[in-house]
């Protein structure tokens, strides 16, 4: 399992509306699977007291809540100030409680869900909302060889990060081979769009190539694009196409725990039902450079949310 292994106890804390909720420990994945319908985001700490792209996570939640309200012909009446204060308070409570219970031996993964359903999971709210935050240890970055599986998927709006996507993602993840780090989806045109838990990129003709529409604009993706712009690395904001896979010089998936993770092998099932693959025998200099740029930049793009450990 990605989390900590079946034999190790789960270390996690859940807070709801600024208060710790006493419950059986759950992973962030379990937490989101059983949470009420709403908007969610998954963040990570940097140096344990800072949250990477914190303002972007708050903005994503606010926009997703507004978008979900619009889908059901409702109006989201909560102000940004009120919304942010409640999310910050609940997240800070979960983080400080986690540190008090489990110490400072690891970075944290933080799943935050906001919903217009009350704490009981049933009662609708009109001019208020519920915040739930789950904190657990951040998994270690996968070691090479990193393998990613490509499959096709009907059209989906990735931009609204809601719990509906968690349910739809389950049907994709069952297709993932046991040794794959993620599964990425391709549309009918062969455009490789998005991973089930990550953004996807190809390195092609000296450029970083990644989709710009119908995707979730992940925090690591934003940092990667910013650092490429800062250092003069060319970026092509259009989806890499599968027909060019053997011309790619490299490929990445990115997420909060993986950062920009170079891929060693891409595999797929061809029209004859046979497994095919594209292997990157070595990591190209440009691929390595982008990986190093983002890894070095995460502190710059993080915000202090709790008091740092004084030890």
């Amino acid at each position: 399992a990605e989390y900590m292994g079946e034999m190790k106890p789960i270390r996690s804390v859940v807070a709801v509306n600024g208060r710790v909720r006493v419950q059986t420990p759950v992973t962030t994945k379990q937490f989101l699977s059983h949470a009420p319908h709403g908007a969610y985001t998954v963040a990570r700490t940097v140096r344990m007291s800072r949250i990477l792209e914190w303002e972007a996570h708050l903005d994503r939640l606010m926009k997703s809540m507004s978008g979900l309200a619009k889908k059901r012909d409702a109006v989201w009446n909560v102000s940004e100030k009120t919304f942010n204060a409640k999310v910050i308070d609940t997240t800070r409570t979960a983080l400080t409680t986690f540190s008090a219970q489990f110490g400072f031996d690891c970075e944290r993964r933080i799943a935050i869900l906001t919903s217009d359903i009350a704490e009981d999971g049933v009662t609708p709210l009109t001019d208020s909302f519920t915040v739930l935050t789950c904190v657990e240890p951040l998994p270690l970055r996968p070691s090479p060889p990193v393998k990613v599986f490509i499959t096709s998927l009907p059209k989906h709006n990735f931009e609204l990060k809601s719990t509906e996507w968690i349910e739809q993602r389950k049907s994709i993840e069952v297709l993932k081979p046991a040794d794959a780090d993620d599964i990425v989806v391709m549309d009918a045109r062969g455009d490789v769009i998005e991973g089930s838990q990550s953004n996807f990129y190809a390195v092609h003709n000296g450029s970083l190539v990644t989709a710009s529409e119908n995707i979730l604009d992940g925090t690591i993706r934003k940092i990667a694009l910013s650092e490429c712009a800062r250092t003069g690395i060319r970026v092509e904001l259009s989806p890499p196409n599968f027909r060019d896979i053997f011309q790619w010089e490299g490929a990445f998936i990115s997420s909060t725990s993986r950062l920009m993770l170079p891929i060693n092998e891409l595999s797929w099932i061809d029209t004859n039902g046979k497994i095919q693959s594209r292997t990157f025998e070595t990591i190209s200099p440009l691929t390595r450079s982008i990986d190093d740029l983002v890894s070095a930049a995460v502190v710059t793009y993080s915000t202090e949310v709790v008091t740092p450990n004084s030890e």
Side-chain angles (χ1 to χ4, degrees), residues 1-2 147-149 173-182 267 275:
E2 182 188 50
K147 299 181 180 182
V148 171
F149 187 73
E173 291 181 334
V174 297
L175 304 173
K176 185 176 74 172
D179 62 346
D181 288 285
D182 201 3
S267 61
I275 295 178

Side-chain angles (χ1 to χ4, degrees), residues 105-180:
D105 64 340
C106 63
E107 297 290 357
R108 294 88 159 98
R109 176 156 59 188
I110 310 155
I112 306 168
L113 182 129
T114 54
S115 176
D116 59 2
I117 299 173
E119 287 187 50
D120 61 12
V122 178
T123 309
L125 300 171
T126 51
D127 295 319
S128 185
F129 63 102
T130 300
V131 181
L132 303 95
T133 300
C134 180
V135 174
E136 69 174 351
L138 184 76
L140 297 177
R141 197 175 188 225
S143 301
V146 174
K147 299 181 180 182
V148 171
F149 187 73
I150 302 173
T151 190
S152 58
L153 178 73
K155 187 174 181 181
H156 172 82
N157 181 8
F158 289 93
E159 296 179 54
L160 281 182
K161 194 166 186 180
S162 75
T163 46
E164 289 179 13
W165 167 231
I166 297 173
E167 291 303 311
Q168 294 180 15
R169 192 171 71 191
K170 290 177 182 177
S171 64
I172 303 169
E173 291 181 334
V174 297
L175 304 173
K176 185 176 74 172
D179 62 346

Side-chain angles (χ1 to χ4, degrees), residues 3-4 9-15 20-21 23-28 30-31 94 97-98 101-102 109 133-137:
Y3 180 63
M4 293 181 66
I10 295 172
R11 297 190 297 165
S12 68
V13 168
V14 173
V20 174
R21 183 164 73 185
Q23 64 171 67
T24 303
V26 292
T27 66
T28 52
Q30 293 167 338
F31 164 79
T97 304
F98 184 92
Q101 291 185 9
F102 302 115
R109 176 156 59 188
T133 300
C134 180
V135 174
E136 69 174 351

Side-chain angles (χ1 to χ4, degrees), residues 19-302:
R19 304 184 308 276
V20 174
R21 183 164 73 185
V22 178
Q23 64 171 67
T24 303
V26 292
T27 66
T28 52
K29 190 172 184 178
Q30 293 167 338
F31 164 79
L32 289 171
S33 294
H34 295 94
H37 179 67
Y40 79 97
T41 191
V42 179
R44 63 162 291 164
T45 60
V46 177
R47 297 179 180 173
M48 291 172 285
S49 64
R50 307 173 70 88
I51 295 181
L52 186 62
E53 285 283 358
W54 181 224
E55 291 79 8
H57 283 290
L58 293 170
D59 184 60
R60 174 190 292 166
L61 286 169
M62 183 73 176
K63 286 181 177 176
S64 292
M65 288 296 287
S66 179
L68 290 171
K70 188 175 181 180
K71 279 180 67 175
R72 61 178 189 275
D73 296 322
V75 178
W76 176 243
N77 287 320
V78 178
S79 72
E80 182 177 356
K81 182 178 180 180
T82 298
F83 181 80
N84 288 353
K86 194 169 182 178
V87 174
I88 291 168
D89 179 51
T90 304
T91 301
R92 185 177 286 139
T93 296
L95 282 169
T96 54
T97 304
F98 184 92
S99 297
Q101 291 185 9
F102 302 115
F104 297 87
D105 64 340
C106 63
E107 297 290 357
R108 294 88 159 98
R109 176 156 59 188
I110 310 155
I112 306 168
L113 182 129
T114 54
S115 176
D116 59 2
I117 299 173
E119 287 187 50
D120 61 12
V122 178
T123 309
L125 300 171
T126 51
D127 295 319
S128 185
F129 63 102
T130 300
V131 181
L132 303 95
T133 300
C134 180
V135 174
E136 69 174 351
L138 184 76
L140 297 177
R141 197 175 188 225
S143 301
V146 174
K147 299 181 180 182
V148 171
F149 187 73
I150 302 173
T151 190
S152 58
L153 178 73
K155 187 174 181 181
H156 172 82
N157 181 8
F158 289 93
E159 296 179 54
L160 281 182
K161 194 166 186 180
S162 75
T163 46
E164 289 179 13
W165 167 231
I166 297 173
E167 291 303 311
Q168 294 180 15
R169 192 171 71 191
K170 290 177 182 177
S171 64
I172 303 169
E173 291 181 334
V174 297
L175 304 173
K176 185 176 74 172
D179 62 346
D181 288 285
D182 201 3
I183 185 166
V184 299
V185 294
M186 169 175 70
D187 67 16
R189 295 172 299 187
D191 289 339
V192 186
I193 305 296
E194 186 87 303
S196 70
Q197 303 178 55
S198 63
N199 287 115
F200 179 80
Y201 320 73
V203 179
H204 190 205
N205 291 332
S207 298
L208 183 67
V209 185
T210 185
S212 61
E213 297 180 354
N214 195 32
I215 63 163
L216 177 69
D217 192 8
T219 53
I220 301 301
R221 180 181 181 277
K222 289 180 179 179
I223 293 172
L225 299 186
S226 177
E227 288 300 293
C228 284
R230 184 181 66 83
T231 57
I233 295 173
R234 293 197 306 272
V235 172
E236 183 180 333
L237 293 177
S238 61
N241 194 276
F242 182 76
R243 66 174 177 269
D244 301 319
I245 192 168
F246 287 101
Q247 280 72 57
W248 295 348
E249 299 125 52
F252 293 97
I253 51 174
S254 72
S255 67
T256 52
S257 60
R258 300 176 181 99
L259 301 181
M260 287 290 284
L261 184 65
I263 297 169
N264 301 101
E265 180 182 290
L266 289 163
S267 61
W268 62 93
I269 297 175
D270 67 15
T271 54
N272 296 317
K274 295 183 178 180
I275 295 178
Q276 303 292 342
S277 64
R278 161 72 161 105
T279 301
F280 301 97
E281 298 291 348
T282 58
I283 302 300
S284 74
L286 180 56
T287 304
R288 180 65 64 202
S289 177
I290 294 169
D291 177 18
D292 291 343
L293 273 173
V294 173
S295 296
V298 291
V299 174
T300 305
Y301 290 88
S302 63

